[in-house]
Amino acid sequence: MAAATRWALVTGGNRGLGLAVCKELAGRGKSVILTTRDTAAGQKAAEEVRAAAKEGAKVEVLELEAADAASRARLASAVASRFDRSVDLLVVNAGIIHKTWTPEGFAQSAAVNFGGAVDTALAVAPHLAEGAVVIFVSSTLGQLSKLSPDYAEPISSAKNLGELRAAAARFDPSSPMPAHNTYSPDYSVSKAALNRAVQLMAADGALRPAGAAAAVCPGWCRTDMGTSAADRSAEEGAASILAPWYRAAKEGAAAVNGSFTRDGEVIEW
Ligand SMILES: NC(=O)c1ccc[n+]([C@@H]2O[C@H](COP(=O)([O-])OP(=O)(O)OC[C@H]3O[C@@H](n4cnc5c(N)ncnc54)[C@H](OP(=O)(O)O)[C@@H]3O)[C@@H](O)[C@H]2O)c1
């Protein structure tokens, strides 16, 4: 009897790093579910993934608007009804960047990069395979050193997701943050909060039955977000994203639980 299909689920899989991750996995024979906000874009991406896939790898498309609770719930129920307990890799990749310090930009970054990422994982987690690996695509721009102390302290000291949500939602127009980090202050806050959430969820097993929550930085990559000036290809970024998955395959999920890596090397939070 053929072994049951084990799937990877990749959010924001219709372009950029998410698409590169899907192609890399399917090229190695893993079946992939990619999420998209736009069905036509998702189907077009799925064709690209199928063209890159090794024989036997299947490709499916589901919809997700990461910042919308109803959409996250629909994704979770689609996973439950069609792929229950057969997704052993979840790559929470969908993200946006604003290079601003406005209440609107801050709220959007927090809603997608932090809340959207965490709540998508929490919604889908009960339907994952035992011991699944959940990889959150973060960034070195979310390292605590990229935050001014008024943001770094409450985020890094949050003891649970409730405290963290409050810290990540607090926009202070008079914060030194935009002077401290002129490139992408609200993006950095949202990714720092995501990193802290990964630490908390890794410690308390919030994503069980998944066996690992890991944060990764893909490096600066040539995508719409990274621009053509970036020093890495999307494929190199995808390899960095998937490093914990390959390590977990050899050493078990616990080996990567709670890690923050780039190219598989541990980096500072
Ligand atoms: N590129 C880099 O240099 C770099 C470096 C460090 C970290 N990262 C991280 O890597 C991840 C992927 O980035 P990328 O470079 O591939 O960016 P990208 O080319 O801009 O692609 C972003 C992807 O996320 C999706 N997305 C955005 N907002 C969403 C939402 N609210 N709900 C659902 N999907 C949403 C997009 O869907 P649509 O097509 O519908 O917009 C798209 O599929 C992000 O988390 C980013 O922060 C990137």
Side-chain angles (χ1 to χ4, degrees), residues 205-238:
L207 298 178
R208 273 191 209 110
V216 295
C217 175
W220 185 29
C221 302
R222 292 186 290 278
T223 63
D224 292 339
M225 182 187 291
T227 78
S228 58
D231 56 11
R232 290 183 159 201
S233 65
E235 292 71 28
E236 288 170 298

Side-chain angles (χ1 to χ4, degrees), residues 12 14-17 37 64-66 93-96 112 137-139 187 191 218-221 223-226:
N14 58 291
R15 63 186 169 98
L17 294 173
R37 294 194 282 189
L64 173 69
E65 163 50 68
N93 161 79
I96 51 166
V112 178
V137 183
S138 184
S139 170
Y187 179 83
K191 292 292 192 182
W220 185 29
C221 302
T223 63
D224 292 339
M225 182 187 291

Side-chain angles (χ1 to χ4, degrees), residues 46-163:
E47 282 314 310
E48 271 190 58
V49 179
R50 284 185 192 109
K54 195 170 164 183
E55 202 181 327
K58 301 176 210 168
V59 184
E60 296 286 347
V61 179
L62 292 176
E63 281 187 30
L64 173 69
E65 163 50 68
D68 179 62
S71 178
R72 294 191 297 262
R74 282 194 297 276
L75 175 71
S77 99
V79 172
S81 62
R82 294 177 55 194
F83 307 99
D84 200 34
R85 301 284 174 145
S86 57
V87 173
D88 62 2
L89 170 62
L90 169 61
V91 182
V92 186
N93 161 79
I96 51 166
I97 194 164
H98 288 290
K99 298 176 183 177
T100 58
W101 193 251
T102 62
E104 298 76 21
F106 184 92
Q108 251 190 347
S109 293
V112 178
N113 296 344
F114 164 61
V118 171
D119 289 332
T120 297
L122 288 170
V124 171
H127 313 294
L128 296 176
E130 185 73 39
V133 173
V134 183
I135 296 175
F136 293 86
V137 183
S138 184
S139 170
T140 51
L141 290 171
Q143 287 173 316
L144 291 167
S145 60
K146 310 288 194 320
L147 269 58
S148 52
D150 57 324
Y151 274 93
E153 200 284 322
I155 286 174
S156 62
S157 66
K159 288 187 290 300
N160 53 56
L161 281 184
E163 286 184 15

